[in-house]
Amino acid sequence: MNSSRTRLVVVGDALLDHDLCGRAERLAPDAPVPVVHGTRRSSRPGGAALAACLAAADGRPVTLVTALGDDPASDTLRELLAGRVDLVDVPLDGTLSSKTRVMAGDRPLLRLDDGEGRARTATAAAETAVTGADGVLVADYGRGTADVLRTALTTAAGRAPVVWDPHVRGRPPVPGVRLATPSAQEARTFARRLDHADDTGDEAGLRTAARDARTLVRAWQARAVAVTLGERGALLSHGETPLLVPTPAAAAGDPCGAGDRFAAAAAGLLADGALTEAAVQAAVHAATRYVAEGGARAVATADRADAPEAASPCGDTTADAVRTATRVRAAGGTVVAAGGCFDLLHAGHVALLQAARRAGDCLIVCVNSDDSVRRRKGSGRPLVPAPDRVRVLRALECVDAVAVFDEDTPERILGELRPHIWAKGGDYARTELPEQPLVESWGGQVLLLPYLDGRSTTALAHRAARSPAPTGGTPR
């Protein structure tokens, strides 16, 4: 089947996730705890809602069936999902679960959980969406959505591929699912409940994972079980000799949501008609890329109340740039970024940006804010304010998006974009770039491009200042 016509239905418990990201460089004087400062708050769909958004980013229509209520968290999630997926909600008892992570760089320091809402009952619309799907992904987070739709899911498993991503607080998959995708820890917990066997050796070891997968295939009456092993890949079992699918490369980054990325990729491919082995191999590669490219934060949206820079006169340029980078990555493309003040756009700038665009599938230009330019260039700069600079850059055919940053260097915005290539002019060939280690940390590359000699904003400004005033004629 063709993914452009294949509709995937994601069934499960949606969450609302928040990140408070900042820097931790010292301990508090009154307690041995880190002080996080310079925080920026962002929100994103979580749980089954994240899985649905990731599946939709693969280019297929997705319907999310989940439990939502009338509480503020449910309303916020509806806004975040608008335009990404079709939503069919069932009644929620209580308030939607939300999670807040306090982050120092890529390291979580603390998580705060709120809301214990559970799905109350199924609806006719939800049952129809499930039984009529081309493929189904169950993203069970133990809050009842899969339980109230269990009859419809059993019917769906008899006629379409169903992928079940289980949770230790939830019930086992319905019989006949095409693929179940527990983590190694989840598989160990489920298998222990079934066989009451004593643990031997490393719980994440391949022998243990193979034994657990074999047990679960038989107990769950599943066609196959893929035990996810983090950076080691996944172990696929049909009940006999397992197949190890290793990751293509080590990926350093935030693994939050990697299991959802794996399950969403596998479910979409099985709905398209792929073989289970091929779907699992592609899902391992998709999860590896997901972690390397920033994980769940790639689908986050800055909360304006806590991010005043988003209300700049340039508009929400960062969110637009992040969406562009996410879309291109999801399609397997190469994201290129370039940066600078671009105060008076001249031929040297244009040549650099055109060359950068040819190096990949999109070009995102990172521009210093007015305050940042003043700190770097002096009180007389910039000559052109940021909104005008952004507008001119956006008008260039080679530029796909523009992001404005207020710091002296672009590390923060690069951390959000995670480009595959960071392009700089050849005049930086003998200069140590402070952002180079950051770009290389997620597998990116700094690329130097030819720069036209003799072109500079400073030279243009000096020539304009020396030009004699016109002596006659009509002003223009």
Side-chain angles (χ1 to χ4, degrees), residues 163-168 173 179-190 209 212-213 216 220 224-230 233-235 259 262-263:
V163 173
W164 197 293
D165 192 12
H167 192 284
V168 293
L179 182 69
T181 62
S183 67
Q185 184 177 8
E186 290 166 342
R188 183 82 287 268
T189 300
F190 286 122
D212 292 342
L216 297 178
W220 289 347
V225 169
V227 178
T228 56
L229 304 170
L235 193 76
F262 177 90

Side-chain angles (χ1 to χ4, degrees), residues 163-370:
V163 173
W164 197 293
D165 192 12
H167 192 284
V168 293
R169 291 168 54 186
R171 294 175 64 185
V174 299
V177 299
R178 183 73 59 87
L179 182 69
T181 62
S183 67
Q185 184 177 8
E186 290 166 342
R188 183 82 287 268
T189 300
F190 286 122
R192 189 186 301 118
R193 293 173 183 171
L194 291 165
D195 58 23
H196 305 286
D198 293 332
D199 294 334
T200 57
D202 178 11
E203 290 194 3
L206 294 180
R207 184 170 9 180
T208 300
R211 185 184 68 227
D212 292 342
R214 182 171 61 249
T215 297
L216 297 178
V217 166
R218 296 168 181 170
W220 289 347
Q221 301 177 51
R223 301 270 290 275
V225 169
V227 178
T228 56
L229 304 170
E231 61 186 17
R232 300 170 72 178
L235 193 76
L236 174 63
S237 174
H238 295 277
E240 301 299 334
T241 304
L243 171 69
L244 176 64
V245 181
T247 56
D254 183 3
C256 178
D260 295 302
R261 171 70 279 194
F262 177 90
L269 290 167
L270 289 174
D272 293 343
L275 297 175
T276 303
E277 289 78 2
V280 169
Q281 183 173 11
V284 168
H285 285 238
T288 303
R289 288 195 305 271
Y290 169 86
V291 173
E293 293 171 355
R297 278 193 273 179
V299 298
T301 301
D303 292 355
R304 296 193 176 191
D306 294 287
E309 68 273 16
S312 72
C314 308
D316 192 4
T317 58
T318 297
D320 178 60
V322 170
R323 283 192 295 268
T324 298
T326 302
R327 184 179 67 251
V328 171
R329 274 195 298 266
T334 298
V335 178
V336 183
C341 300
F342 299 101
D343 197 358
L344 288 178
L345 196 67
H346 53 70
H349 291 143
V350 174
L352 173 67
L353 296 177
Q354 288 174 330
R357 181 61 176 83
R358 288 193 292 269
D361 299 288
C362 77
L363 173 62
I364 299 172
V365 181
C366 304
V367 180
N368 297 76
S369 70
D370 290 349

Side-chain angles (χ1 to χ4, degrees), residues 5-294:
R5 294 176 292 168
T6 303
R7 176 165 291 276
L8 182 69
V9 173
V10 178
V11 178
D13 308 299
L15 312 172
L16 178 63
D17 288 345
H18 307 286
D19 281 341
L20 276 172
C21 299
R23 299 185 300 278
E25 299 164 348
R26 61 189 177 88
L27 295 178
D30 54 345
V33 295
V35 176
V36 181
H37 61 97
T39 57
R40 301 177 70 251
R41 183 183 177 94
S42 62
S43 300
R44 65 175 185 273
L50 173 61
C53 289
L54 294 172
D58 288 336
R60 60 177 49 80
V62 172
T63 296
L64 171 62
V65 179
T66 193
L68 294 175
D70 298 324
D71 55 290
S74 294
D75 293 340
T76 298
L77 184 59
R78 287 187 180 94
E79 294 176 4
L80 292 174
L81 294 173
R84 294 184 177 186
V85 300
D86 294 328
L87 183 60
V88 177
D89 56 345
V90 300
L92 178 75
D93 279 336
T95 58
L96 184 71
S97 296
S98 64
K99 303 178 182 299
T100 301
R101 297 190 305 171
V102 180
M103 309 281 291
D106 284 334
R107 290 184 180 277
L109 301 179
L110 178 70
R111 197 181 89 178
L112 308 174
D113 289 5
D114 294 295
E116 291 292 339
R118 291 186 60 85
R120 182 192 314 152
T121 185
T123 64
E127 292 173 339
T128 299
V130 172
T131 56
D134 297 313
V136 176
L137 167 60
V138 178
D140 187 7
Y141 277 76
R143 289 168 173 81
T145 303
D147 295 343
V148 301
L149 287 163
R150 196 167 182 86
T151 300
L153 290 167
T154 302
T155 300
R159 56 168 297 277
V162 174
V163 173
W164 197 293
D165 192 12
H167 192 284
V168 293
R169 291 168 54 186
R171 294 175 64 185
V174 299
V177 299
R178 183 73 59 87
L179 182 69
T181 62
S183 67
Q185 184 177 8
E186 290 166 342
R188 183 82 287 268
T189 300
F190 286 122
R192 189 186 301 118
R193 293 173 183 171
L194 291 165
D195 58 23
H196 305 286
D198 293 332
D199 294 334
T200 57
D202 178 11
E203 290 194 3
L206 294 180
R207 184 170 9 180
T208 300
R211 185 184 68 227
D212 292 342
R214 182 171 61 249
T215 297
L216 297 178
V217 166
R218 296 168 181 170
W220 289 347
Q221 301 177 51
R223 301 270 290 275
V225 169
V227 178
T228 56
L229 304 170
E231 61 186 17
R232 300 170 72 178
L235 193 76
L236 174 63
S237 174
H238 295 277
E240 301 299 334
T241 304
L243 171 69
L244 176 64
V245 181
T247 56
D254 183 3
C256 178
D260 295 302
R261 171 70 279 194
F262 177 90
L269 290 167
L270 289 174
D272 293 343
L275 297 175
T276 303
E277 289 78 2
V280 169
Q281 183 173 11
V284 168
H285 285 238
T288 303
R289 288 195 305 271
Y290 169 86
V291 173
E293 293 171 355

Side-chain angles (χ1 to χ4, degrees), residues 433-451:
L433 299 175
E435 61 269 26
Q436 183 165 349
L438 175 68
V439 174
E440 293 177 347
S441 71
W442 58 73
Q445 177 185 2
V446 175
L447 188 66
L448 297 179
L449 298 172
Y451 193 84

